[in-house]
Amino acid sequence: MSSEYHKRLNIVISAWICIAIGSGIIVSSGGTSFSFAVAVPLSLGGIFLLLIGLGMDSQKSISPEKIESWTPDASLLPDAGRAMYRVDTTLNQPIRTSILCGRCGNIVWVDGRKPPFFSCNNCDILLWEEE
Ligand SMILES: [Zn+2]
């Protein structure tokens, strides 16, 4: 775990605590004006922190290097009586699709989106065929 990850986690956690305390004060004190004066800024601060925490999260998850180096796990999928497969298409250009054959664990990359049909070139079984 990197320190950056922990920093983000701490922000998210403290945000939730702020919201929880803020809501708790309103409920426990029966909604007096004093409790609102304390609780509302606390809750808003919590929501603000939460947005920052989540924003950092989404920023990190779309880093191009990470997408570029991403590959699906070459793990065997459970055999449910027929050939299983997993198809992952990249969200960013260049659009590429990885096909994981569940029978043999072979990963094939094709350009573009999921093709209408595909057979594994390793164990030579038809994984799918769209009508
Ligand atoms: Zn295969």
Side-chain angles (χ1 to χ4, degrees):
M1 293 299 169
S2 65
S3 60
E4 193 194 340
Y5 176 82
H6 279 294
K7 203 171 89 186
R8 191 173 71 239
L9 201 68
N10 287 341
I11 290 176
V12 173
I13 288 173
S14 50
W16 280 119
I17 291 173
C18 282
I19 295 171
I21 292 173
S23 316
I25 290 172
I26 294 175
V27 172
S28 64
S29 63
T32 63
S33 57
F34 171 74
S35 69
F36 274 103
V38 176
V40 170
L42 208 57
S43 293
L44 290 178
I47 292 167
F48 182 66
L49 278 173
L50 188 66
L51 290 176
I52 294 175
L54 295 178
M56 287 169 72
D57 191 31
S58 62
Q59 262 178 8
K60 187 177 181 172
S61 66
I62 58 163
S63 76
E65 300 83 34
K66 201 175 174 185
I67 291 171
E68 202 64 40
S69 61
W70 181 87
T71 50
D73 297 331
S75 54
L76 297 178
L77 298 171
D79 198 329
R82 59 191 176 83
M84 301 281 288
Y85 59 91
R86 209 183 89 185
V87 180
D88 295 286
T89 303
T90 56
L91 296 172
N92 295 36
Q93 296 290 344
I95 303 294
R96 294 169 75 215
T97 301
S98 73
I99 299 146
L100 166 64
C101 173
R103 182 65 59 84
C104 64
N106 186 39
I107 295 172
V108 178
W109 285 92
V110 296
D111 290 329
R113 299 187 184 283
K114 181 185 173 186
F117 62 90
F118 184 82
S119 31
C120 176
N121 55 15
N122 190 40
C123 55
D124 205 29
I125 50 168
L126 186 69
L127 291 179
W128 74 83
E129 187 169 21
E130 286 170 10
E131 295 172 13

